[in-house]
Amino acid sequence: MELAMSNNNPDKFDPPKHEEILRVLGKAFWSIVEHYALNQREQAILLGIKENRQRLNTLKKEVQIPDDPDKILRVAHLVGIHKNLRILFPQNRVVAYGWFKTKRDLFDGLSAMEYIAEDPMNSLPRLFSVRRLLDQLRVAG
């Protein structure tokens, strides 16, 4: 995302517009969905929406996410997870993209995706906890 220079002061930058943030996050979400081979149930859980094939297909076709602060936060955490995995496994995309669905002792034998999906009402805090765990692993690495 490029920052535009302010017309009033060349030393200041205008923050990105809400629509631009949504566009970038929509593109990022649907790219991550492809990389991690997430099915529609998993997509809905990560977005915090009801599983509705038609709605998900429309969002995917239009490369969008719902315009809602909760959904924006969810996708931001997912982008953070993706970034961490690419940093932790820079030479092995197969491992990076498989990590999210690989069962781990860290999640009591569940994959990160299963851990998030296990309690849909708490999927946002669980998504956040997976991101924080990866943040810590990245920093410690």
Side-chain angles (χ1 to χ4, degrees), residues 58-78:
T58 299
L59 289 169
K60 183 177 181 178
K61 181 180 176 184
E62 296 174 2
V63 193
Q64 294 179 349
I65 62 169
D67 185 359
D68 177 286
D70 173 79
K71 298 355 174 198
I72 292 168
L73 183 59
R74 289 168 176 276
V75 175
H77 286 316
L78 192 59

Side-chain angles (χ1 to χ4, degrees), residues 67-104:
D67 185 359
D68 177 286
D70 173 79
K71 298 355 174 198
I72 292 168
L73 183 59
R74 289 168 176 276
V75 175
H77 286 316
L78 192 59
V79 168
I81 289 168
H82 174 70
K83 178 190 88 167
N84 282 328
L85 289 171
R86 291 295 306 272
I87 291 169
L88 287 166
F89 306 106
Q91 303 300 320
N92 196 334
R93 289 186 181 190
V94 173
V95 171
Y97 296 151
W99 190 94
F100 201 63
K101 289 184 150 186
T102 301
K103 295 183 184 309
R104 309 211 166 270

Side-chain angles (χ1 to χ4, degrees), residues 16-32:
K17 305 246 183 289
H18 181 74
E19 296 78 22
E20 178 66 8
I21 292 168
L22 277 176
R23 186 187 68 73
V24 169
L25 288 177
K27 185 176 178 181
F29 177 77
W30 293 106
S31 177
I32 289 169

